[in-house]
Amino acid sequence: MKLIIAAIKPFKLEEVREALTSIGVRGMMVTEIKGFGSQSGHTEIYRGAEYAVNFVPKVRLEIVVTDSLADQVVATIATTAKTDKIGDGKIFVLDVAQAVRVRTGEINDDAL
């Protein structure tokens, strides 16, 4: 099993969710986060005063899938979340040692 963690632009969330659902992803966790990468934030003007925004809003997706589906999930997120502008995000893939469905006690692939 693989844990896929993706940080994407918030306005791309629904489009990415629909694309993942269409390839068979059955669930995901979503968290609103702030961060910075290559863009290192930006400046904005509010009521005439300029101030620095050091952390940019993002959405973090956490998805656990079978090994066989992992590459397709990564490719789907990468193509769907892409805007060709700086700050499109990052995707990380980690190994998962065990998964348990609390309600039924199913483990690993059956728990997904």
Side-chain angles (χ1 to χ4, degrees), residues 3 5 8 19 61 81:
L3 168 62
I5 301 172
I8 63 171
L61 308 177

Side-chain angles (χ1 to χ4, degrees), residues 10-28:
F11 69 88
K12 283 292 197 172
L13 175 61
E14 189 58 27
E15 189 178 345
V16 169
R17 186 199 63 77
E18 288 174 3
L20 290 172
T21 301
S22 72
I23 63 165
V25 173
R26 296 178 48 196
M28 71 179 71

Side-chain angles (χ1 to χ4, degrees), residues 57-79:
K58 300 282 184 190
V59 172
R60 175 182 168 137
L61 308 177
E62 295 177 73
I63 307 159
V64 179
V65 295
T66 60
D67 290 341
S68 61
L69 192 57
D71 289 339
Q72 188 178 6
V73 169
V74 169
T76 300
I77 294 170
T79 56

